[in-house]
Each structure stands twice: as structure tokens, then as C-alpha cells.
Amino acid sequence: MATAPESVAQALPDTPSRANGGRKPFFKRMLANRRTSVAGAFLLLIVVVAVLAPLIAPHDYRDIVGKPLTSGGTLGIDDFGRDVLSRLIIGLRTSLGVAVSAVLVAGVIGVALGLVAGYVGRWVSTIIMRGIDVLLSFPPIVLAIAVVAILGPALVNVVLVIGVLYIPRFTRIVYSQVLSIRSMEYVEASKIMGTRPADILAKTILPNVSAPIIVQLSLSVSFAIQMEAGLSFLGLGAQPPLPSLGTMVGAGRDFLEVQPTLLIYPSVLIILVVLALNVFGDGMRDLLDPRHRGKNS
Amino acid sequence: MAMMSRRSFLAGSAAALGTTTLAACGNPVTLPESMEAVRPNAGGPSRGGALYFGLSTDPANLDPHVSTGSASDYLRQLAYNGLVQYDGSGEIIADLASEFGWSDRLTYKVKLRPGVRFHDGSTLTAEDVVFSFRRMMDKETAATSGPLLDQVDSVEAVDATTVAFRFEQPDVAFPFALAAPTSNVVSRKWIESGANTKTQMMGTGPFRFVERIPGVSTTFVRFDDYFEPELPYLNGIVFQPMGDDYARVTALRTATVDMIDYVPATHVGVITRNPRLRFASDKTFGFGFVGFVTTQRPFDDVRVRKAIALSINRPSVLDTALLGNGRPMDGALMPETFAPYASRLDGSMPYDPEQAKFLLKQAGQEGLTLPVVTTSSYSVIARPAQAMLPGLRAAGMNVNLTQQEWLTFRASVAGKTFPVHSWGTAPKFGDPASLSDFIGSSGAFAENLDFRDDKIDDLLAQGRRTTDPNLRNEIYLEAEKRALELVPMTYTIRREQGEAHYTHVRGYEHPPKGAWTATALRRTWMEKTA
Amino acid sequence: MRRFLVRRFGQAIVQLLLVGSIVFFLARLIPGDPARAALGDAATEEQVALTRAAMHLDEPFLGQFLGFWARLFQGDLGTSMISGRAVMQDLPSRIGNSLELVLLALAVSLVVGIVLGRIAATRADKPADHALVAGSIFGISLPVFVVGTLLLLVFAVLFPILPPRRFTSPWEDPVAHLQILILPVVTLAAASCAVITRMTRAAMLETLNADYVRTARAKGLAEKRVIRRHALRTAMLPVVSMTTVELTTLIGSTVLVETIFGWPGMSSLLMNAVGQRDYPVIQAVVLAAATIVILVNLVGDLAVRVLDPRAEDN
């Protein structure tokens, strides 16, 4: 570390963790980074709100509580006379639930496929990567529309569709990363030492490709929120009267000049969640990356 | 002025100024610049100009006899004529006919105007008329007017300019069948020559079809040999498909187009507040309804259906779903504009959740869970479905609302996959005889409900035979009363529906009596001085 | 390299066969059929049944399926069941219009994204970096239809600098054509630009910290040279593979953008066809889109091989 020129330290993001030394426990290092911990705290808050949504919401999200398109309640009344705050809280729960589940589906399957394809190679990689190509060669929204139309518009189906659509993102990134490190010394060394392939994948390769996966995870949650919004916009996502942030943004579009907050509030909430996810993802990357840790210890 | 500012914006590029270019790559169709010029006419409608019309759909099938919805009728009625048409006040007047009417109880005769020419220069004959109606009555055509013509026993040419329709029993609704926007007269020679009626149009209408570029435009130019003197005033009409509500309204507000159809309820306010725009609408024609599959438990129990009908808070549905742009519908299906009895049924279906609870209890269906399907494709259908939920919950019912894309929804409704559907449509024509589509056993909408009631069928058949207006009125009143008792469907709201255009567009009238027609566009003109 | 190309082309053809077959069945699995779409909502079941027969929809699936491929191999993409127009009549110009939008958006987002990503990475943790990260997150998190709607509201309604004009072909009036391109391209590029910025930044930070880059630095190479020769080049790898993914996303996003701006591209052709269950059109457009995407992937793979000699196929 001491030999690194000044410019390297500048080029590295979020240096405090390093400055504080790497031997401290993980959480302590995380807390030491103010940005990451603020983002983490916000995400925690969001998750708590989402989980406890029905208890927190001041009104039933389906009830008519006032005159449509007026400023009653805390954040106003929507076009159907319902409380906007309550619908934001429930909508947050819906969107987060769908996005996180979908990205978990995509991440687990996608990363596994990418690791196997990249490490095993040969016909296995051909089958996997061409399968991914077939999946990628469909226009995603059209595939989603077709599948949801066939399966019926239910949230579970939306999770499945978004999950499947995002598999290629993970598989391709992991695959190209694995290809570029497969032949590196430390992987070769593990092979020679007779480590089982599964262990090499899990212990040697996975940590080394985790940085882009983490970036991709946080990005994908935001894409999933958007995809859910797009599907909801087309009437295939959350079914009314259940709100999601996407349906709320889509519905708010019609009242942009009458009551712009109907569009602004859910949009701002989406942006905040995505911002937090990204900052947190960045922080986690810096903390998790073995190359960063290696340099500190 | 609006048109000027729009076009002069590109003043830097002379090519854009005043030039109307509408083309896709490698497929240019240009309305000459001169077409946009308007010649003022002191005291009368100006001549010239090209009207740009933002249409809610991109009608793909141009067949004269098959309609996919009201938007496609705009195109059809520019290129083709029927024998009769609706005038600005909704009365049936001549179109290709010079004289028309019942010559006896069972014969309807139409005498044609002399010297009417098709766009290809040939002259209209009675043979063409006979051919056209036989084509509509041929089941293979699947003509939209087909079911309206089911009482016609034969159609034949009496002489070169007279056509006779013969019946086995009187059919009071027949003139409405003739005035329908899909009862058009085509050239026998043209069709028999193998013309593709889906992609081409060739009629006697005031405008000649030039070209349809899917997704971009459908263009018409003035037919100079049109039989009505002076008409049409415009040099051309260009329809541009704009399926997205917001895009369509924006295109109007930015003067990209002069006129749009299907103004969404959520934007009526923005348009009516603009002094340069005019909203031409009605509150009588389009309506929403909730239909029940009357053979599926527990909806085979009339008390359950009635309970649901009583739990819909119609004024609230109107205020929220359509922002008040319409009228609640608590009585007859037919509007009073053409059904004089209608007001006598007002208030038959009040909002009464207590009574609804009572009926559900009687039927042993307290806390009933209601699977309802609707379509997300049209906000005028989707929004009322959402807005009725609080009322139903107040009566103790749980609603599982499923929104489906249009054709999936149609398949669900036809396949009766959901016991309840929330839909919206309009009577086919402005007469109570159009009730049969909804409550007659062979009606397209009644088919979806498995609904058949012999008494209603008798009344509808009687109504169609009866010429005495007072008697007819009583007959249809009885039929509607019975439908309100049996509740195969319950009506929710009449929606305000209409077109919006700049005030420099003149002469356009929205069909006033709830009889859908698009002939007003034939008489439209522009007073733009630019 | 030649063997690689031959094999990849073989794979591409197998992929197309798969895509074609999948879309054939997928389209027909969606409830609702074109016969109902061709008639109005008051059509009776009898009329629908007759129309269905006239469209040959009663015939066995297998026969329809084989017929589809047989015609395709003769170069016949079929005729729309609704409009009666040959698909070939509309498809080429629609593809052209869409590609114009997508490629322009991609070009804009690549140029802007890589430049911004590089700026952010080399100024990590400085105000410029924070601003760029925040900006890119803003771009990522706004749904496409909100961006489009806001742009329309601001630049067309409130300050009519760029009113939505009629579609004008570039051959007739290039200036007017460019005018109508701006808002859709910006809408489309916003999200992918943000993604590419993020990816470039992340990948560059990664490589800037890699051992060989540090070695290069230790050897005393100028910082600019380090960034350009080593860091940027390696960082381009994930960007290249992201680009191919991004292109598919863009082709997908055009569905919404073409709707909002009334752009006559292939997405709107497809959406109309899906809405009407116009099977021949659905098949043709999806196959065309798939061909484009598969070609793009092919080029992407080639680029990865060129950029990174270590990444051998097998």
C-alpha cells in the first residue's frame, strides 16, 4: 500500500475502509464508511416499511377517503379518492417484493450458469451460452407480454418472467469474467493442487467475479422495478386496486398537469430506493472484493 | 394561427414551411403544398385545406362491410356511401337514395340518385346495391351489419335505379340497418375483378383513398366528381394513428393534428379549458356494464346478481373513474334521446349496500368472493371496473379483479372463464331495437352471459314488428323492466365520449342522438386563413 | 478465427430456427385469436367461427407449423391476417426506422457513457464523480415512459421547442427528420447511457487497481498512458458484453418509446400485431429482431476475442 502512488489512492473509491485497516470485523468496516452505512440504514428502513406496510399505512389503500385529486391526507388524494401515502407504502412493498424476488431468481440461476459455462467450457458452454442467446434474441417486453398473457397476470408470474429475462445479464458477465481469469496462475494453481472443481468455482473464481455481480445485482433490482412498472403500465403487473410504484407512476402520467405529485412521489421513491441500492452496492463491492482486502492485510 | 406557428417554427428550413410531407422511408406520399391553401368563401364554408386527424387506432382492415370499431368507420364513410345516412341532428336522410321508405308493410323501396359515379368513373346502378347487400347478408363476409339485416327476405333490383327489400314480417329497425356505417354500397365490377377490399377502397364517397402506410398515416383526397354539389370542402384528410391517449392529446395540443377522436376522460379538463379547442361529445351513447354468466353458481341466483348491482355506487364511479365526465346509469339501458320510456325507469338501481347485504344473506352468500375480469387496454373500461370496488366491499364482498389485454379479455368473456366481467360498449344504433344485442338470446353480448328469457325475446320480436310508436315504447319499457328484474347485466355509467378539434375546423358535429356515424367529416371545412 | 466464424454462424442458424419455432407456438398460446380481432366487439360467435375457418386457423397445428417454415425457406414471410398486406411490404421500412432510433441511441449512450464513466473513475470520490453517479442513477431509475412523457410535456407543450411533428423521412426533409428524432433518441438513450457510465466506472476502478496496472504504474508509465493503454482497454471487456445486452434492452424499450412518440418502427408493428394476434406479422418481426440481435452478439463475441486474447472460445 505504501508503495502505491498517490494517484492510485485517488482512483480508488471509498477509501476510509482501507485507511481504517482491513483486519477489523466486516460490519465495523462497513459502519466506518459513512455513505455505505447511510444507504444501508435507508434500505433497512425501506425494508421495515415494506414488511410492516399494512400496519404503518394510515388508511386502507383501497378506501375512498376524500374528494378525488385534492390535497387531503398527508400526501394528497389520488384520482380514485384514495390516500396517496398509504398507497405509496403498500406500493413500495409490492415493487420491492417483486423486484428483489425476481433478481434473486435471475442472480442465482444466471451466476450458476455463467460459472459452469465459463469453467467447464466445451459443449456445456455452447449449450448454455446459445440458450442465453436465444433468450436474449427475443425483445424482452414482448416475451414478457406473451408469457404473462399465457400464464395470466399474477405477481408470481411477473416475478418469474422478470427473473428469467434477467438471467442473461448475470450469465454473460460471469461467463466473460470467468473466461478471463480461468487461466490465471491462482486458478491453475488450485487445479494442480487437486481442488475439486466445485470448490474452485465457489472459493476461487466466484469471489473474483463477485464485484461485477454485485454491481449488476443492485442495477438489476432497479431494472426489475422498472420492468415491473412497464408491465404494470401495460396492465400485466400488480392488479388493481393493489398498487405498485410502477402502476402509481403510470397512473400519475394522466394527471401530470392536474396533480403532478401523483407522478412525482412514486418517482422520487423509486429514485431514492435505486440510489440507496447503488451506493450500498458500491460500498459492498469495495468491502467484499478480495483484491481490495488482500491489499490491506 | 396555430397552424402557422407550428409550421413556421422551422422557418430556417424552407422545405418545411407549408409543405406537408407524410411518408415512410422509400414510400413517399405527398399532398401537394397547394392542397393546404384555403379559399375563403364569404357567407359559406371555405374551400380547400387538408385536415390532420389523430386517430385512436390504426384501422387495418378497410373492408367496406366489416368494422373493427368506430375509429375505422371514419375511413369507411369517407370513401363509401350508404343508401341513407344520419344528418346533423340524428335523423335519417338520403345518401345514395333519392327516395326511400316502406312501399307496403313488407316492402322497403329505395330509388337511387341519378348520375352517381364511383371513383373509377363508372356509374352506380341498382345492381351494385343488390350485390352489396347480398355480400353483407352472406355469412362468409361476417359483415358487421349482417345481424341487422337478418329479417330481410330478399333484395332485388326493380329497375335500373330502384331496389326493393322484401320481408316476411315488418321490421321497424330496418332503416337503422341501412344507415349503419357498415352498410356501404360497393361496385360489383370492382369486387368481382378480385380487388383486395382489405387494403383498397373504391366507392362513391366524397374522398378517394390514396394510401395507407401502417403505423404512419392513411390518406384521402377530394373526389371531384362527388354527387353532392360543393361537397367536400376539404382537399384532403390525413389520419395518423395515435394509440396512446397521452400522445394523442399532446399531438392536438401542440397542433400537430387538427382533430382527435376518443378524448380520454382524464384529459377532458385540459381540452375544455383551452379556448382554441372545441370538445364535441355526447353522454348518451357509450356505457359501462357488469355482466354475469347466469348459469354459473352462485350467479345463477338472481338475488346475488341484484345484490352486486345494488352495491355499485354509480355516482362515485362516475366521479372517480371518469372525473364526472358522464352520467350515472341507474335505470334503462337505452338513453332517453331515442327511448322515450327511459326516464320512467330512473332510480331502479340505487346504491343500497344494506339491501345488497340482505339479499346476499338470503342467498346464503355473505362475504362472497367475486372473480371479475376486465380489460386494461381501454381506460374507459378499466377505470370504472376499479372504481366500483369500494362499493362492493362495503356490501361485504371481496373482489378479485383481473385485468387482461383486450383480445385475451374477449376470449375470457366468450369462453366464460370468469363468472363476472366489467365491460363497456355502445348500442349498435339509435333505437331500442338495439337492445337485442344485450338481452336478446341471440345477441352478441347476451351470448357471453348464457342469458335467455323467452318473455324478453317475445317482447323484442314484437317491438321490431310494431310500427305504432306508443305501442313500441310500452313494449321496450316492458323488456327493459324485465331485464332490470333478472339482471343478466347491470349498467354502471354513460361515459362522455367525443372528439376534440381546433375552432378553425368547422362544420363538424358529433353524432347527436347516440346513433354512431362518421359522416359529419364529409361536411367538415376549415376557415384557417393562413 | 475462421473456424470460430463458421461455427458461430452455424450456431446462429440453429438459434434462429429455435426462435422461429418458439415464437410460432408462443403466439398461438396467447388466449384470443385474430378472427375476433378482425371483427368488431359486437360480432357473434358464428361470425367469429366462420372468420376463423377462413383464416385457416382450424387446421392442425403441425400443418400450419410446417407450412410456415416451408414458406419462409422460399422467402415468403406471409401476409397479415388482419390487413391483407404482405409482411414484406412493411417490414423493411419499419426495421429501418427502429434501427435508426436504436443505433443512434446506442451511439449516443456509448460515447457519453464511456466518457462520463472514465471521468468518474479517474476522479473517484470527488464532486464530479458524485454528480455523475447521482445523475446516472437518476437516468437508470426513471421509467422510460416517464422520461418520454416529461420530455414531451416540457419540450412540446410547455416550451414548444420540439413539437411532435409528423413522421418525415430523412430522404425528403433531413432537418425535419432530425427534429423528430431528438426526443425519442434522448428518451431511449437516457437509461442505457446511465448503465454504460456505471459499468465503465466500475470496470475501470477494478482494473486501475489490478496488479498489472499497478505494475505498469510502478514502471513509471505516465498516468494517462496507464489509463488508456491498460485500464481502459481491459475495462472495455465488460462494457462490450454489456453493450450487446444493452442493445437488446434498447430494442425492447423501443416498444414504449415508439408508442409514446408515435414512431413507425418495428416495435409498434409488433405491438399492433400482438394486440391483434396477427401471427404471420408477429413471427416475421420477432424473427427479424432476433436476427439483428444474434448478429450483434456475433460481433460482440468477435470484439471480445480481439480485445482479450485470453478469452478463447473453449
Side-chain angles (χ1 to χ4, degrees), chain C residues 9-270:
Chain C
F9 267 110
Q11 286 166 349
I13 286 167
V14 174
Q15 269 177 31
L16 279 178
L17 289 176
L18 274 173
V19 169
S21 306
I22 293 172
V23 74
F24 180 91
F25 288 105
L26 215 52
R28 284 163 177 78
L29 275 174
I30 308 176
D33 67 53
R36 211 175 281 283
L39 307 171
D41 63 359
T44 59
E45 284 306 298
E46 188 191 8
Q47 289 180 317
V48 174
L50 279 165
T51 310
R52 196 175 289 137
M55 288 175 167
H56 307 290
L57 293 171
D58 298 352
E59 291 163 17
F61 251 33
L62 190 66
Q64 291 184 47
F65 183 63
L66 295 177
F68 158 64
W69 282 116
R71 277 190 299 275
L72 195 67
F73 283 124
Q74 292 161 23
D76 178 8
L77 281 176
T79 305
S80 158
M81 289 176 158
I82 308 293
S83 73
R85 285 168 71 99
V87 177
M88 267 315 278
Q89 216 179 326
D90 297 324
L91 195 59
S93 70
R94 293 303 192 95
I95 291 178
N97 293 342
S98 278
L99 277 188
E100 182 184 20
L101 211 58
V102 166
L103 292 180
L104 270 175
L106 185 71
V108 167
S109 44
L110 271 180
V111 171
V112 177
I114 290 176
V115 168
L116 293 183
R118 191 186 143 161
I119 293 174
T122 49
R123 289 170 183 70
D125 260 351
K126 289 187 177 166
D129 181 34
H130 295 310
L132 282 171
V133 169
S136 72
I137 289 166
F138 198 77
I140 291 171
S141 50
L142 272 179
V144 170
F145 54 84
V146 176
V147 177
T149 306
L150 287 177
L151 286 178
L152 261 183
L153 180 72
V154 173
F155 293 108
V157 180
L158 300 180
F159 310 99
I161 307 166
L162 290 169
R165 300 177 58 83
R166 293 179 203 118
F167 184 79
T168 313
S169 89
W171 325 117
E172 264 178 285
D173 190 344
V175 178
H177 185 73
L178 274 180
Q179 293 273 355
I180 55 170
L181 261 171
I182 294 174
L183 289 185
V185 166
V186 170
T187 307
L188 199 52
S192 58
C193 178
V195 172
I196 290 169
T197 307
R198 303 268 307 143
M199 284 306 293
T200 310
R201 178 183 178 272
M204 265 192 77
L205 286 178
E206 188 88 350
T207 47
L208 276 175
N209 198 33
D211 289 334
Y212 62 95
V213 176
R214 304 203 309 145
T215 312
R217 275 192 232 271
K219 283 195 301 193
L221 281 177
E223 183 63 22
K224 257 193 174 167
R225 203 173 148 86
V226 170
I227 289 174
R228 199 176 306 140
R229 282 288 295 277
H230 295 273
L232 194 58
R233 183 169 163 172
T234 317
M236 281 301 97
L237 270 176
V239 173
V240 167
S241 55
M242 258 330 276
T243 302
T244 54
V245 177
E246 221 32 65
L247 200 72
T248 343
T249 313
L250 283 176
I251 290 177
S253 306
T254 51
V255 172
L256 294 170
V257 174
E258 288 181 15
T259 305
I260 293 169
F261 293 97
W263 190 262
M266 66 177 168
S267 304
S268 52
L269 182 68
L270 182 62

Side-chain angles (χ1 to χ4, degrees), chain B residues 128-157:
Chain B
D128 292 313
V129 177
V130 171
F131 175 82
S132 302
F133 279 88
R134 286 188 181 153
R135 185 173 188 264
M136 284 176 243
M137 286 151 67
D138 180 357
K139 287 200 155 51
E140 297 282 325
T141 311
T144 309
S145 296
L148 301 176
L149 297 166
D150 60 352
Q151 301 293 308
V152 177
D153 187 44
S154 73
V155 48
E156 59 209 45

Side-chain angles (χ1 to χ4, degrees), chain B residues 456-477:
Chain B
I456 289 185
D457 279 353
D458 279 352
L459 286 166
L460 291 174
Q462 224 180 320
R464 213 165 157 180
R465 288 195 300 266
T466 307
T467 45
D468 177 61
N470 292 327
L471 204 50
R472 278 191 96 215
N473 199 36
E474 294 305 315
I475 290 169
Y476 285 118
L477 174 67

